[in-house]
Amino acid sequence: MLVLSRKKDEKIVIGENITLMVIEIRGDKVRLGIDAPRDVAVHREEVYDAIQRESEQKQAD
């Protein structure tokens, strides 16, 4: 895992077409902006896990 430090309004570039930007830092929470192509799925981890469970359940049925 790569660990980076960023300040407000600083960015991280992933590949050629994904950019993460620190929008706001408030206490222990960080708001991120993600700019990615429409064909790249971007989810919070808990949403991604729910999608995976639902997919696995459909395959089992």
Side-chain angles (χ1 to χ4, degrees), residues 32-61:
L32 299 174
I34 302 166
D35 186 16
R38 288 196 174 272
D39 63 327
V40 175
V42 178
H43 301 287
R44 296 185 325 257
E45 182 179 31
E46 61 274 15
V47 172
Y48 177 80
D49 291 344
I51 292 169
Q52 293 300 312
R53 283 192 304 274
E54 184 177 310
S55 177
E56 291 170 1
Q57 185 178 13
K58 285 182 181 179
Q59 290 177 359
D61 292 342

Side-chain angles (χ1 to χ4, degrees), residues 3 5-6 10-11 21-22 32 36 39 41 52:
V3 178
S5 297
R6 299 280 74 199
E10 291 184 333
K11 297 178 181 178
M21 181 174 178
V22 178
L32 299 174
D39 63 327
Q52 293 300 312

Side-chain angles (χ1 to χ4, degrees), residues 20-39:
L20 294 119
M21 181 174 178
V22 178
I23 303 296
E24 180 180 26
I25 303 168
R26 188 180 296 177
D28 64 345
K29 292 190 179 189
V30 177
R31 292 184 68 208
L32 299 174
I34 302 166
D35 186 16
R38 288 196 174 272
D39 63 327

